[in-house]
Amino acid sequence: MSEKKAGFSTTCVHAGVAPDATHQAIMTPIFQTSTYVQDAPGQAKTYDYARAGNPTRTALEQSLAALEGARHGISYASGLAAVQAVVQILEPGSHVLVCDDVYGGSGRLFRRLFAKYGIEFDFVDMTQPESVIAGYLKANTRLLWVESPTNPLLKIIDIAQLARLTRPRGIPLVVDNTFASPAFQSPLALGADIVMHSVTKYIGGHSDVVGGCLMLNDDALHEQLRFVQFAGGAVNAPMDCFFLLRSIKTLALRMERHQHNALALARALESMEAFEQVIYPGLESHPQHALAAQQMSGFSGMISVRIKGGFEVASRFMQSLELFALAESLGGVESLVNHPETMTHASVPPALREQLGISGDLIRFSVGIEDVEDLIADVEQALARTLD
Ligand SMILES: *Cc1c(COP(=O)(O)O)cnc(C)c1O
């Protein structure tokens, strides 16, 4: 069966995996090995050493590639290891344009680690692609790094429009697709060159594995990135590969429920007096709702709100929630709540945080797959206790 033509749910269940060659086990075996026996010196079969390759990881990489309709998938020990790999293919003296409210950890990696290797980063608002190119592109710009929807403000960046501007200039466009997941957004089809995911989030989906990946079509870029993976060694353990293969089978189902719950919760939040603003790309009130509807096939499960009363009220509210766990991360089956200013985005320079609007009153929800009535009831009881 051609995997490219299959629907997304079918791809999730079948892509990259085939019954094992030895015993026809339907699930991919966990090859918990560091090395492989050779027939004669220097005559390895497919695998020689597990940093270079492992059959469980190969199956995962094929499955990940299929999720984004890509020729190549490369799997890493974390999302940030995947980010790091992309920057490591650049030469010192390169310049990178990054969207301004990029994931805090990616920004920290760029500012605090790579800046000292002579790579220059500018963080700019990319919601107006033409002004990014006109205003910030330099002769040595070698990469554009974009997230959409962004974290935590859920701004939407027009990927197709950016790609139309970067392609003719030969500047690779990388899209961190973690928030949308492959279920709802296909950046490669929109013209991007590399897709990145923190598979710790929706792809893993059960808050039990840290991992990352890149998906792409270009063979030359793939060779360069494969070398970084092999030479640097930020690979996943075989057991984690297995967990991820298992998770991917239910990705389509989970994402439908995440977005169903998020839309219902966002509407309920909008009707509550306590919130100044509810930010969800699926709401008509989102300033870029039309663009979101055009470039995404669903709006995913992340909601941000501004609560009236600032940090004090936000803090009491978050501690009063019972179903929503107060924790970093997102995309798992259980609902989480996060305070970006003091948690996920604490490493963003305060001036930039203020300029972006990541303030004390901002709360981010990762909506899980529970019954949405229970989630709404939890918000109501927490508000009642907070405002008491
Ligand atoms: C979590 C996250 C990352 C980093 O991934 P890790 O798996 O934590 O290393 C990168 N981008 C986004 C959007 C994320 O949410």
Side-chain angles (χ1 to χ4, degrees), residues 107-176:
R108 178 176 55 212
L109 181 65
F110 297 153
R111 286 188 187 89
R112 298 200 28 206
L113 192 71
F114 281 115
K116 74 179 178 196
Y117 294 99
I119 299 175
E120 196 192 339
F121 299 88
D122 273 322
F123 298 79
V124 301
D125 180 351
M126 295 212 187
T127 51
Q128 305 294 331
E130 250 124 33
S131 59
V132 173
I133 300 300
Y136 299 98
L137 207 69
K138 297 186 180 182
N140 59 338
T141 304
R142 295 286 176 270
L143 203 70
L144 251 78
W145 191 280
V146 169
E147 267 175 55
S148 185
T150 64
N151 174 21
L153 294 165
L154 306 174
K155 285 197 274 187
I156 308 295
I157 292 170
D158 191 334
I159 298 169
Q161 176 68 2
L162 260 186
R164 274 194 290 277
L165 297 166
T166 53
R167 260 287 151 90
R169 294 172 167 86
I171 303 170
L173 172 64
V174 189
V175 176
D176 180 338

Side-chain angles (χ1 to χ4, degrees), residues 264-280:
L265 179 64
R267 293 215 165 105
L269 294 168
E270 238 184 356
S271 73
M272 295 176 191
E273 269 298 295
F275 300 105
E276 190 79 55
Q277 189 189 6
V278 179
I279 310 170
Y280 181 65

Side-chain angles (χ1 to χ4, degrees), residues 78-81 83 103 106 147 151 176 178-179 196-201 210-212 329-330 364:
S78 72
L80 285 176
V83 179
Y103 172 72
S106 306
E147 267 175 55
N151 174 21
D176 180 338
T178 301
F179 267 43
M196 176 256 151
H197 284 275
S198 167
V199 304
T200 313
K201 316 297 165 50
V210 171
S329 200
L330 62 109
R364 188 189 80 183

Side-chain angles (χ1 to χ4, degrees), residues 244-264:
L244 290 164
L245 281 166
R246 180 198 240 241
S247 291
I248 288 169
K249 291 180 188 293
T250 58
L251 180 63
L253 273 178
R254 287 186 282 111
M255 292 315 300
E256 268 173 43
R257 181 61 168 251
H258 281 298
Q259 89 140 354
H260 169 270
N261 281 359
L263 184 58

